[in-house]
Amino acid sequence: MSAAGKINSSLMLKSLSDIRLSGSLDDTLIFRGLSSEEAENFIRQVNILAFKANRMRDTRWMAELAATAFAGDALRKFRKLPSEVRNDWDKLQEALLNEYSPASAPPSAAAAPPSYG
């Protein structure tokens, strides 16, 4: 194999197991569905991991990565989604942003509008 081929194959990650988080439980990709901010951060984390794995265009791979992270109520909601949403990262992102939008947060959790008085 040429030097260029070795570089290219070392940059291409073949499976989810090739992604390494820092190793501590605190850094494990997890999504519980607690807030719109958590949903946005989760989407960003999946996108970053896919970028590092050179898989940004592989929406099925990204959806499979995300599927490993759902826990609690978010896992139950995820399992109720149609398979075409669960298996396509673009559709799954849209579903997450719709489900966990700031507007869907309880009134007590919503931020008060700024006062300009």
Side-chain angles (χ1 to χ4, degrees), residues 10-31:
S10 69
L11 293 175
M12 292 292 293
L13 299 174
K14 302 291 188 238
S15 70
L16 296 178
S17 64
D18 289 331
I19 291 183
R20 301 284 185 256
L21 299 175
S22 74
S24 73
L25 290 175
D26 294 334
D27 293 326
T28 302
L29 186 63
I30 190 163
F31 180 68

Side-chain angles (χ1 to χ4, degrees), residues 71-108:
D73 191 46
L75 175 61
R76 288 175 191 78
K77 289 179 180 180
F78 171 75
R79 292 303 310 155
K80 290 179 182 177
L81 291 171
S83 62
E84 62 270 9
V85 175
R86 289 193 321 262
N87 295 319
D88 183 313
W89 179 237
D90 290 336
K91 293 176 182 176
L92 184 54
Q93 285 181 93
E94 186 175 337
L96 289 170
L97 291 173
N98 286 336
E99 179 66 30
Y100 301 101
S101 69
S104 68
S108 61

Side-chain angles (χ1 to χ4, degrees), residues 39-78:
E40 292 164 5
N41 288 334
F42 173 70
I43 289 169
R44 184 173 178 273
Q45 288 176 318
V46 171
N47 287 332
I48 289 169
L49 290 171
F51 177 79
K52 288 180 179 181
N54 198 23
R55 301 301 282 265
M56 287 294 292
R57 293 185 178 160
D58 190 343
T59 60
R60 181 165 186 116
W61 184 91
M62 294 173 77
E64 290 171 352
L65 172 63
T68 68
F70 290 100
D73 191 46
L75 175 61
R76 288 175 191 78
K77 289 179 180 180
F78 171 75

